[in-house]
Every structure is written in structure tokens, then in C-alpha cells.
Amino acid sequence: MMATAARMCGLYLLFLLSLLLQQTDAEYQPNWESLDKRIIPSWYDEAKFGIFLHWGVFSVPSYGSEWFWWYWKGSKNPYYVDFMNKNYPPDFTYADFAPKFTTEFFNAKEWANLFEAAGAKYVVLTSKHHEGFTNWPSKVSWNWNSMDVGPHRDLVGEFAAAVKKTSVHFGLYHSLLEWFHPLYLKDKASNFTTHDFAKTKAIPELHEIVKEYKPEVIWSDGDWECDDTYWNSTQFLAWLYNESPVKDTVCVNDRWGKNIRCKHGSFLNCNDRYNPGVLQKKKWENAMTIDRYSWGYRRNLRLQDLLTVDQLIDELAETVSCGGNLLVNVGPTHDGRISPIFEERLLQFGQWLKLNGEAIYSSKPWLHQNDTVTPRIWYTSNKASNGTAVYAIVLDRPKGNFIHLGSVDYLPSISVSLLGYSGNIEIKETITGIMLMIPNIQINEMPSKRAWVFKFMGAKV
């Protein structure tokens, strides 16, 4: 009997030792020092441009912003309270909006093809926003998901399947917190000394979407009320990097706890519309919206609220020049449409990228980011068959027939071309940089109605 007990004890110790060895052998340990050593997958840095989609029950009222529920019932903003009082019965609840999230016009293939035509290399869809409604049939979101109520469809699954048939990488946004979930409110009341919501809701959801849909971007949010230790973020990320089905290709942002933002992650978001305007040491992303005031669709949207295509190109040039990616958000409607005005913006953006993409995709920051003499000129560089090309993205059309570039030194070997234009462009040396002499180009010969891109070979790199 004692021998049997000793043998069982020995086997148990061997089992514990094997577990310890497995954990030790894991490439990444559940701490930020180890996780930060992971090199970001190259596809993400090369992509440069992605599309963000905020879509959920908030798309039904489509009024104000995607924070509708919080502003109505949380902060009780008069703008939202008055809207509800004037348009809905007194006993109407936010849950009553869910059956109206119908998505009858949602065609995942059409969306995927549109985003590919827009020149996007990745797309990030909302799997769950702060309202808690999951756009997939989550096992831990009973009767508050897109299969049980509203569309009665697996929206994430349909879109993932369609995107993966294109050249676009698939990603998912996921909010850690839920404003009004009872377990979250209980944990919050304990100053997050209890972890029931994180353990039984938030983290299981992350495991679900990774295993089921294999996203190559996980865009975490809802991190601002508690530290990463509440979410046990490092444990999840260690699993994601070591064992998950996307361990070799997945990228994550920096929103894994209020103490983590702008410090840790594959790339840094820091804040919404983050655009530092100078070169950063770590890979970063500028997540911003075509609608200046909302991430979700708004029925009361005005034309003047939208960024123009030229403004989007401006944002792209500045972002990529400084080493970032641009993630441009559009909000679909409750019935599953991309509004024609958003579609037009995206397609026009794609036309510009089709002509000038070599200055954007796979590019690297150059010696200078913006020009030292002429404002609103941003630089990138890229490998070419005969060396390294340097690109000057000129956001404003020259008023005359010359452009003064103070950041490009004159060298006997230097040559220049204008992307999309077959004519010659003369270079003249100046005391500060060079002067580009541009011939009178006829309207029908213009390479682009928008920003011009000059390509230099033989420039200092």
C-alpha cells in the first residue's frame, strides 16, 4: 500500500515537472518583458492601410455615436435623453433595439471586395463593443448575440470567410469591459479585487474568437478602468503567441489594461486618432474615422462632418512617413449597408493607392519625414530593383512650375520621375536642396487629381 502511494506520488511529481518544463520551454512567458521580445509579423508593417468597422446594436438608433447606451443611461446626456423621450415610449429599453439590428442587406462578399478595391491590406471588424452584444454566437453571451436575437446570423463568421478569400488580412476588435453587465459592475464595486467578469466572460470570449475565426489582428479596447492584472492579459497573450492557431501571424494593440496603453503590444494605438507627426521607435497605428464625430453610423450625418479623400491621403502620407499604419473607420448601417458616401471615399482612396502604392506599401521611413523647406511634403523609401527609391509625397499642387525640396541633396547620380507621368522632370541644384522643374502638363496628362508622388533614384539613403 505504501509502495503504491509512493509510486503515485512520484508520478504526480513527474507530471508537475513536465508541466513546469513545458512552461519553461514556451517561447514567450506571461510577462511583458518576455512578450515584448516578440517581433511583429512582417505582413502588418508592410500593410500600411486597413479598414475599421464599428457595427452593433448601436447601429440601430444610429444617433450621436456608438456610445449611445452609455450617454443615454450611464451619463444621462440630455442630447440622448431628449432624443429617446421624443421618439420612443417611456418603457423602451436598450435591449429593445436588438431585434431591429436586422442586417438583411449584409453581403460579406461585397464588403470584402469593396475593401480590397479600396487598397486595404487588413480589416478589423467589431466582434463586441462596450454594449456587450457579440456579433457571433458566443457561448458566454446568452441571448445577447447575433444568432439569438436580431440578425440570427454569425456575422463574424460570414465576414471572416469572405475576407479570407481575398488578399486582405482579417482582424477583430473586442471590448474587454461591458458597461452594464452585472458581473462587471460587481467586480467594479469591489475595486476589481474580484475577477468574475474577466474569468467567465471577457477572456473566454477572446479564446472563442481566436479558435473559431483565426483573426490576424486582435484590437483590444475597454481597458481604461482597471489594470492588466485584472484581465490577466499576459496569460492570454502568452497563449496567443505560443499555442493559438494564429501564433505566428497575429498582431495585437496596446489596450490590455489602463497601465499598458502606449507601452506594450505588437503595435501602439495610445489614443484614438493617434498621430504623433514624428518618427516613433516602436510600430504604431493611427486609428481614425471618416466621420469626424463618430465611429458608428449616424443617421444625422452631414456632408461637412466627413473627411475628404484629400484629407485621408494627407493622413496616410504623414502616418506612413513616421512609421505607422493608418486604420480608417466606417460605420455600417443596422441593415448591413456601407453608405454610398463611405463607399465613394474608399474607392477614390483606392484609385490613388493603385497609382501611388509603391510609395506606401512595404515602405520604410526615410532619413527625413517631412521637408525642411516646403510644407506638407512627406517622405518614404522602398526597395527597388536597382537600389533604394525615395518618394516625396507632395500634398499641395505647386502653384508654379517648380517645387523646392530642402531635404533632398543634389547628387550627380540622382534622377526623378513623377508616378503616373511618362514625361521628363528636370532637377536643379540649389543652396538648400534641389528644385524640381515641372513641365506644363495638360489636364488629360495629369497622373492624379490629388497628391503627386515623385520618385528619386540615386538619392542619399
Side-chain angles (χ1 to χ4, degrees), residues 1 63 124 247 338 398:
M1 189 74 174
Y63 180 80
V124 179
K247 62 185 179 66
I338 305 295

Side-chain angles (χ1 to χ4, degrees), residues 43 47 49-51 111-124 159-171 216:
W43 77 260
F49 168 49
I51 290 174
W111 281 22
N113 290 340
L114 168 63
F115 303 145
E116 188 174 43
K121 298 302 180 183
Y122 64 107
V123 62
V124 179
F159 190 53
V163 170
K164 291 177 182 182
K165 292 179 181 178
T166 70
S167 61
V168 181
H169 292 264
F170 178 71
E216 292 183 287

Side-chain angles (χ1 to χ4, degrees), residues 49-170:
F49 168 49
I51 290 174
F52 214 174
L53 295 163
H54 275 65
W55 199 31
V57 173
F58 52 82
S59 305
V60 178
S62 54
Y63 180 80
S65 86
E66 71 289 347
W67 277 51
F68 183 93
W69 193 7
W70 175 258
Y71 289 137
W72 174 32
K73 290 296 187 180
S75 65
K76 301 188 186 304
N77 185 309
Y79 179 72
Y80 294 82
V81 173
D82 291 347
F83 172 79
M84 291 303 298
N85 288 340
K86 291 176 181 178
N87 296 284
Y88 294 89
D91 58 347
F92 196 92
T93 68
Y94 189 77
D96 292 326
F97 282 123
K100 302 177 187 299
F101 183 42
T102 50
T103 75
E104 65 266 31
F105 296 125
F106 171 51
N107 185 311
K109 182 179 179 181
E110 288 182 359
W111 281 22
N113 290 340
L114 168 63
F115 303 145
E116 188 174 43
K121 298 302 180 183
Y122 64 107
V123 62
V124 179
L125 172 70
T126 304
S127 68
K128 185 194 77 171
H129 200 254
H130 315 318
E131 65 186 12
F133 187 89
T134 66
N135 282 331
W136 83 96
S138 173
K139 297 180 179 65
V140 292
S141 189
W142 179 80
N143 208 37
W144 193 233
N145 66 73
S146 63
M147 187 63 77
D148 289 345
V149 64
H152 301 293
R153 302 167 68 173
D154 180 357
L155 302 176
V156 171
E158 290 181 37
F159 190 53
V163 170
K164 291 177 182 182
K165 292 179 181 178
T166 70
S167 61
V168 181
H169 292 264
F170 178 71

Side-chain angles (χ1 to χ4, degrees), residues 326-340:
L326 185 69
L327 187 62
V328 176
N329 178 81
V330 296
T333 63
H334 77 281
D335 51 14
R337 293 174 293 112
I338 305 295
S339 174

